[in-house]
Amino acid sequence: MLRALTGALRLPRPWRPLQTRSCASDGAAGDPEIQVRVLAGPDQGITEILMNRPSARNALGNVLVRELLEALARLREDQQVRVLLFRSGVKGVFCAGADLKEREQMSEAEVGIFVQRLRGLMNEIAAFPAPTIAAMDGFALGGGLELALACDLRVAAASSAVMGLIETTRGLLPGAGGTQRLPRCLGVALAKELIFTGRRLSGAQAQALGLVNHTVPQNEEGNAAYHRARALAQEILPQAPIAVRLGKVAIDRGMDVDIASGMAIEGICYAQNIPTQDRLEGMAAFREKRPPRFVGK
């Protein structure tokens, strides 16, 4: 088992910075439904994926899912991405879930294929090597909440965010990871209650249950959760990026096994961090009583 883990946890090949597409969309037919933004200045290291499908409230249709998968495939190899932030360009909504109008036109076989792709998208988000944050300023229902659950951290507006796995109210059940990630987040009994009832929660209620990390009062622009998420990302930026990524691996892999195996995974991750320049820089900075300058090597 440890031999398999060692191979699975091996660091990727040296990363190279990639050029990301930044293409605004007004929601018209044929336009891109997402925008990838690479921030600069004090936010350098933060990359945003902005969902912008106003005509369908960012519902997860074929095009949006394809564009998200393409963006993730490009970004996962880019060392410059230290935090990936998911946000909405549509006021009042994060993601309304799966596009049921589109799905209604599908055959049973096509529905099965699409849901498999949707589940694959959530798995790609969960497996993204850098920390991910969902900024929920509005509705995050069904697949929209499943997308947020696939992220490492979640921030919500206290009053305007509304979230829930509401699939049972539509004759469905969560099919993009909700039945697995919600119990791991909240515990089995509470997850069952929320899924069985299809209950909707405000941002404040979600924080009280531990579903989101932070809530904030909404502002006039309707993007308070985004600003709080960006501030949270700024707290991550100064830290050693390889250590952060390996910490994510250790937590995620360790949660799926017994504690003894989890400790072995932690040991493997720690061993991979020992030869890094950043570890030596951290010790030197401590000795010299100065802020460390981590470079991700």
Side-chain angles (χ1 to χ4, degrees):
M1 178 180 177
L2 287 181
R3 185 177 302 169
L5 284 173
T6 304
L9 298 178
R10 188 172 297 130
L11 279 173
R13 291 170 296 180
W15 299 298
R16 62 187 186 279
L18 303 179
Q19 293 298 320
T20 58
R21 292 181 292 184
S22 182
C23 38
S25 168
D26 61 7
D31 283 343
E33 295 181 357
I34 70 166
Q35 181 177 356
V36 177
R37 294 178 173 176
V38 179
L39 303 190
D43 292 322
Q44 185 175 354
I46 301 173
T47 296
E48 300 177 352
I49 291 182
L50 182 140
M51 297 176 286
N52 196 10
R53 193 188 178 200
S55 61
R57 305 177 74 208
N58 290 342
L60 294 161
N62 272 305
V63 173
L64 183 54
V65 170
R66 173 175 54 78
E67 291 183 2
L68 286 169
L69 284 167
E70 290 173 354
L72 289 166
R74 294 196 311 274
L75 295 172
R76 69 178 297 113
E77 300 298 331
D78 188 351
Q79 186 184 17
Q80 307 307 311
V81 181
R82 296 198 177 186
V83 183
L84 182 61
L85 197 154
F86 289 84
R87 60 176 296 207
S88 171
V90 182
K91 190 171 182 179
V93 62
F94 175 71
C95 174
D99 189 336
L100 297 185
K101 290 183 180 179
E102 186 178 278
R103 188 178 296 183
E104 194 175 17
Q105 308 303 315
M106 298 178 182
S107 67
E108 289 186 6
E110 289 171 333
V111 169
I113 293 170
F114 176 75
V115 173
Q116 187 174 9
R117 286 185 65 228
L118 196 58
R119 192 178 301 119
L121 168 63
M122 305 313 173
N123 290 340
E124 287 296 319
I125 294 171
F128 194 79
T132 54
I133 306 175
M136 295 181 283
D137 275 301
F139 284 82
L141 302 174
L145 180 54
E146 288 178 307
L147 191 158
L149 282 167
C151 293
D152 298 306
L153 307 172
R154 289 164 290 281
V155 178
S159 57
S160 64
V162 179
M163 62 198 76
L165 295 181
I166 62 169
E167 284 86 348
T168 55
T169 71
R170 303 289 188 267
L172 303 165
L173 73 153
T179 64
Q180 303 306 304
R181 292 192 174 96
L182 191 64
R184 285 167 168 78
C185 179
L186 300 182
V188 172
L190 184 52
K192 285 181 176 178
E193 179 179 337
L194 294 177
I195 291 173
F196 295 169
T197 62
R199 185 178 304 151
R200 301 183 182 205
L201 304 171
S202 68
Q205 290 171 322
Q207 185 184 30
L209 296 178
L211 182 54
V212 301
N213 296 78
H214 302 278
T215 56
V216 288
Q218 189 55 279
N219 57 26
E220 292 184 3
E221 293 76 20
N223 60 3
Y226 162 65
H227 286 292
R228 181 65 184 89
R230 199 168 74 180
L232 181 57
Q234 288 171 340
E235 292 186 64
I236 299 172
L237 288 180
Q239 317 315 324
I242 294 177
V244 168
R245 289 182 177 219
L246 285 171
K248 176 174 176 173
V249 171
I251 294 169
D252 288 347
R253 299 291 181 87
M255 288 299 294
D256 292 331
V257 298
D258 62 273
I259 192 167
S261 300
M263 295 296 287
I265 291 170
E266 180 186 275
I268 294 169
C269 290
Y270 198 95
Q272 290 183 5
N273 191 66
I274 290 174
T276 63
Q277 294 179 27
D278 282 351
R279 184 185 72 88
L280 298 176
E281 165 63 13
M283 291 193 299
F286 176 77
R287 183 178 63 252
E288 297 164 13
K289 298 182 180 179
R290 59 170 175 83
R293 295 181 292 271
F294 297 123
V295 295
K297 295 181 181 178

